[in-house]
Amino acid sequence: MIYKIDNGKLSLEVSSLGAEMQSLKSCTGGDYLWDADARYWRRHAPVLFPFVARLREDRYRLGDREYTMSKHGFAPESEFQLYKQTETELVFLLRDNDKTREHYPFAFEFYVGYRLEGWRLDISYAVENSGKELLPFGMGGHPGFKIPLEEGRSFEEYYLEFPQACDADRILFGTDCLVSGVRERYPLEEGRILHLRHELFDNDAVVLEHTPKEVAIRCKGGHRAVKVAFPKMNYVGFWHKDGLEAPYVCIEPWLSLPARHGVTEDFYCKGDMVRLEPGERYENDWSISIEED
């Protein structure tokens, strides 16, 4: 089912399947979220939980026991319950069930919230451990944005811009798209700008750490821009489907990384995952801001 909120400046549509955003539009006619054209990528903005990206052979361990889980976890294919709705806010809830427990044997409540505030969309994630044992998880966002944002522009005219210069490190992946263990300094123009070109993504996502906690999609002389802020996330990834001149780019705020090459990860031991005690609650949030002139 599709739900819609509108604050007079922005309107948002969200599906109960995966609590996934379907569209984000402005009152001026700006259309920002990728439209899920299956020729390039069939999603809009999946919510990643309880794992980000790939596991080795889709397998992981919990101590001596082994389980299977597909790419990005089960949240994108799960039906969420509408927990709260107002004119400008939606909150969705996923509880553990028979299907989730086949792949993830834990009791949990996972809340995904969307709230429109002026020209900004605030996105919140919350996890509650409703069980009696330690709850390990990762999470992240994966929104795709249409490029170009305006008619008459080209993909290559756009660039990603951090607000300050930084010494960003890239997390390198192997051919299996798992973490290789190697990091390298990633060159940014003036320490903060990455010009978009399709071949950037021929070797999967560009995932960076040690960057400022926000990044914008801009075009010189353009009248529309998108800014993504992720104050509590550890990494940011940039991606579109490899080998294609795909007319979108994803900005992915990640709390945790994919599995390491050659390692069947133990969720109790993987260092960048949250381990939540029974009865505790974990919260994270990020935002998408629209700029128009």
Side-chain angles (χ1 to χ4, degrees):
M1 187 168 181
I2 304 297
Y3 297 88
K4 183 176 181 179
I5 52 177
D6 190 323
N7 70 348
K9 294 178 178 176
L10 296 174
S11 64
L12 175 73
E13 293 184 349
V14 184
S15 173
S16 57
L17 180 62
E20 182 176 354
M21 293 184 287
Q22 305 291 294
S23 72
L24 178 62
K25 298 180 180 180
S26 73
C27 60
T28 67
D31 190 0
Y32 291 90
L33 208 63
W34 174 240
D35 60 11
D37 184 336
R39 292 176 298 172
Y40 301 104
W41 185 46
R42 68 178 185 88
R43 308 306 297 250
H44 303 274
V47 176
L48 316 183
F49 176 85
F51 197 78
V52 171
R54 289 178 170 85
L55 290 161
R56 182 189 181 212
E57 298 177 344
D58 290 338
R59 296 181 179 275
Y60 74 95
R61 293 187 299 112
L62 293 169
D64 295 332
R65 297 194 62 181
E66 192 171 275
Y67 297 86
T68 62
M69 185 178 294
S70 58
K71 181 181 177 183
H72 293 320
F74 49 74
E77 306 300 334
S78 295
E79 187 70 25
F80 282 65
Q81 164 192 344
L82 181 66
Y83 180 78
K84 178 182 179 181
Q85 181 175 18
T86 71
E87 290 185 355
T88 59
E89 183 178 14
L90 293 167
V91 180
F92 296 88
L93 169 61
L94 176 65
R95 289 189 175 96
D96 62 284
N97 53 59
D98 290 344
K99 187 173 181 180
T100 67
R101 286 190 291 269
E102 290 178 9
H103 303 283
Y104 186 67
F106 297 102
F108 66 88
E109 294 182 355
F110 179 39
Y111 297 84
V112 178
Y114 299 98
R115 185 178 71 251
L116 294 173
E117 188 69 41
W119 291 95
R120 188 182 73 243
L121 168 63
D122 293 326
I123 300 156
S124 62
Y125 300 152
V127 180
E128 293 185 3
N129 184 349
S130 53
K132 297 181 180 180
E133 56 188 320
L134 200 66
L135 179 69
F137 61 88
M139 60 170 52
H142 198 323
F145 299 99
K146 292 181 178 181
I147 304 292
L149 296 172
E150 303 169 56
E151 292 185 7
R153 299 283 184 175
S154 68
F155 186 91
E156 291 78 9
E157 289 182 82
Y158 285 81
Y159 56 90
L160 301 168
E161 182 181 43
F162 293 102
Q164 301 94 28
C166 63
D167 293 324
D169 288 327
R170 182 176 184 180
I171 312 295
L172 293 181
F173 301 128
T175 55
D176 55 4
C177 299
L178 299 179
V179 175
S180 69
V182 177
R183 285 162 165 76
E184 65 178 15
R185 185 59 47 83
Y186 194 73
L188 298 170
E189 185 177 317
E190 300 176 8
R192 60 190 184 88
I193 293 173
L194 176 59
H195 290 276
L196 290 179
R197 58 186 193 280
H198 293 294
E199 59 268 25
L200 274 175
F201 311 110
D202 284 349
N203 295 311
D204 204 47
V206 175
V207 178
L208 303 179
E209 63 177 342
H210 306 140
T211 69
K213 297 295 188 176
E214 64 179 59
V215 64
I217 305 171
R218 301 191 187 280
C219 173
K220 187 175 182 179
H223 301 286
R224 291 175 178 162
V226 175
K227 182 175 71 177
V228 177
F230 44 98
K232 301 178 185 177
M233 298 290 190
N234 296 323
Y235 311 95
V236 62
F238 309 118
W239 177 85
H240 77 39
K241 183 68 174 176
D242 62 281
L244 297 174
E245 294 189 359
Y248 68 92
V249 68
C250 292
I251 297 180
E252 305 178 42
W254 287 359
L255 182 65
S256 52
L257 289 173
R260 293 166 291 173
H261 174 75
V263 177
T264 301
E265 298 285 3
D266 188 326
F267 278 13
Y268 286 135
C269 301
K270 191 171 186 293
D272 56 6
M273 295 182 75
V274 176
R275 283 172 284 278
L276 196 63
E277 295 287 348
E280 289 190 344
R281 178 182 174 97
Y282 172 85
E283 297 180 350
N284 204 317
D285 56 80
W286 55 286
S287 67
I288 300 169
S289 298
I290 302 303
E291 300 177 5
E292 297 186 346
D293 61 31

